[in-house]
Amino acid sequence: MDATSWARDLRRRLTDRREWSRRRVVGESLLAVVLALLTVWSELVEDHGWPRAVAATLGVVVLLLVRRALPATALIAAAVLAGLADSGAVLVLAVAGWSAGRRIAGVLRALLAFAASLVLFVGLAAWAGHQSSTFIVVLNTLFFLVLTVVPGLASRYWTQRRTLLQTLQQRNAQLLRERQMIAGQARMRERQRIAQDMHDSLGHQLALIAVQTGALEVDRTLTGQQREAVGVLRQASVAAMHELREVVGILRDGTPQDEHSGSRGVTGIPALVDAATAAGMRVSLESTGEERPLAPAADHAGYRVVQEGLTNAAKHAPGAPITVGLHYEPDSLLVEVANGTVPLGRRVAEAGRSHPEPVSGGQGLTGLRERARLIGGMVFTGPAEGGGFRLAAVIPYDSAEGREAGAAQRAALGEATIADATDDFRRQTGPWAPGEGGAVIDPLDPREEFKDIMGTKKSSGCAIGCAAGLLIMLGLGILALFGVVQLVDELDKGMIEPSVYESVRIGDSEQQVRQKLPSGRSIITSDVRGKIPAEPAGASCLVLLSTDTSRGLDTDTVYRFCFTDGKLSEKREFHVKS
């Protein structure tokens, strides 16, 4: 890749709007401001001057801007900047380590980037501070591991875990879709088999009934009343054949395959009432309210309610007056079929005859209740006022206009209608698959799917992750222990008790005095040499710190022992601010 292409790709990654949402811009701005202020403050406190403070601050801001597009480069540059700046810009290491851990592709590349950053940080920190002792190197290494490597590992683990969860969720959703497809195909095959059996058996019998009744209708030996009764039977058989074709079509592919299927809705109820009247039933139709359009399932349900009500009335209350009501309410359609009591004379006449028991499957009302539940409605059955039986169904319009009108009326009247929009029956409906009558499968716990996806690799992956974490923690523990031991050793080489200082007298031999005192070659005494007066000319001095902290933690008590011609020529005590 040439320089032009590289620059163009870098510009694209820096200005990608998907990487810079409004929330991220605000967060990055606040982070840049906070780190810039901390850098300026730390540089000025250390008396490094404004030029160095401004340069360090600009470096921090630039690294924060490019750390997403160039994670490895930003990490190495942050290590260089933090190594050169004694106390400023070190916090940018944690931010760069977090970004590099999750954004550097490949384990080897990430390892090389962090290793190079560690070497640069430790080397430049020792060079800038003019201190290359083992303790300083170990301390800076431990500092880098805690401040940079730990955030990088945490970020990489968090990113991998989130990616794994997203992959598992996608896999889980794909498995569920495949199971739905398989279950749907199995259900469709079963429905097609049932439809074929119904067509072959019931269709044949209904066709024979229609042919036979058609022949009887033109028989001249029948009286007019008999011919009229035969005509009603023929029309009923033809209607049954049309309904059978409609049911077969719905079972096969979810769509009716009969040209008369449109009359099986609420608009076909008047024809159903006329057919019942022609068969000798006393039926009247009442309609109130303004007609509203219904969904296909709701429209068909209204027709079935009236059909079931007329059938039950003909079987169980022959001769009784029947009232079919269609009441268009603001938010739902109320369909009811109510029959009165059987006349006394009809009951006596029927009692004197021997009739076979009417054929009944006992599932009519149960099927109506299930059909109404699926469309969010209700079915009521019970005694009617003044005797008889009443079958009523509340069928929602399921339209925005109906819901608004119903809410307005309820607000005006201060009462709720039967089919309220917040009723439990409405919440029982679900997003069924096209052409299906219900949910394909039951919802499963995603955690169980995750267990199946992970399989036996879960335990091995967990073991590898735990082993890696233990190794990292063990390494950090060893480094921390080594650092503590080195710190104690540095303190022993650079500090003495006040009583030891008092026991030394001027004029004592240098050899005797040095035997009582530590070597003084410690990092804790290197900073205080520049804060005390200069050494006497021609003298060799030893600078040590006192263990006495009575003057406060911000004040160090410094002892200086100067030797001339093999004897102690001077010992002085200084108090300097740390």
Side-chain angles (χ1 to χ4, degrees), residues 17-204:
R17 293 185 177 181
R18 293 174 297 181
E19 292 286 339
W20 295 98
S21 61
R22 182 177 301 177
R23 181 179 179 181
R24 177 166 292 176
V25 169
V26 174
E28 292 293 330
S29 300
L30 292 177
L31 180 62
V33 170
V34 171
L35 292 184
L37 293 177
L38 289 177
T39 302
V40 172
W41 175 79
S42 60
E43 292 291 334
L44 294 180
V45 167
E46 295 294 332
D47 295 329
H48 291 158
W50 278 102
R52 176 170 170 173
V54 172
T57 304
L58 291 177
V60 168
V61 174
V62 171
L63 289 177
L64 290 177
L65 292 177
V66 302
R67 63 187 175 87
R68 298 179 182 275
L70 301 172
T73 305
L75 176 62
I76 295 175
V80 173
L81 182 62
L84 294 176
D86 295 341
S87 57
V90 292
L91 292 180
V92 76
L93 266 179
V95 181
W98 176 271
S99 297
R102 61 178 300 191
R103 294 181 180 276
I104 297 180
V107 178
L108 181 59
R109 185 179 178 184
L111 181 61
L112 292 176
F114 277 92
S117 302
L118 172 61
V119 173
L120 289 174
F121 173 76
V122 174
L124 292 175
W127 176 77
H130 303 287
Q131 297 174 354
S132 58
S133 62
T134 304
F135 176 74
I136 292 296
V137 173
V138 173
L139 188 62
N140 287 334
T141 302
L142 185 62
F143 177 78
F144 183 87
L145 291 176
V146 174
L147 189 66
T148 308
V149 176
V150 171
L153 292 176
S155 173
R156 198 170 190 85
Y157 168 77
W158 177 76
T159 303
Q160 292 177 349
R161 181 179 180 275
R162 185 180 62 175
T163 303
L164 177 62
L165 288 179
Q166 291 176 353
T167 304
L168 293 179
Q169 290 172 357
Q170 294 175 0
R171 177 73 180 277
N172 181 57
Q174 180 181 358
L175 290 177
L176 291 179
R177 287 194 298 268
E178 291 176 355
R179 292 180 61 180
Q180 289 177 356
M181 293 173 60
I182 294 173
Q185 291 175 357
R187 175 173 291 183
M188 183 61 68
R189 287 195 297 269
E190 182 65 17
R191 288 170 58 168
Q192 290 177 351
R193 185 190 64 80
I194 296 173
Q196 188 66 37
D197 291 344
M198 291 178 61
H199 181 272
D200 294 341
S201 58
L202 295 179
H204 176 69

Side-chain angles (χ1 to χ4, degrees), residues 169 199 231 272 410 423 565:
Q169 290 172 357
H199 181 272
L272 190 62
R410 288 192 299 272
D423 194 87
D565 298 331

Side-chain angles (χ1 to χ4, degrees), residues 13 288 319 423 486 521:
R13 286 184 290 176
T288 60
D423 194 87
Q486 288 292 324
R521 291 188 292 270

Side-chain angles (χ1 to χ4, degrees), residues 379-396:
V379 171
F380 302 91
T381 57
E385 295 182 1
F389 189 80
R390 177 175 178 264
L391 169 64
V394 178
I395 301 175

Side-chain angles (χ1 to χ4, degrees), residues 292-305:
R292 303 281 186 87
L294 295 171
D299 195 28
H300 190 67
Y303 180 86
R304 290 302 184 191
V305 169

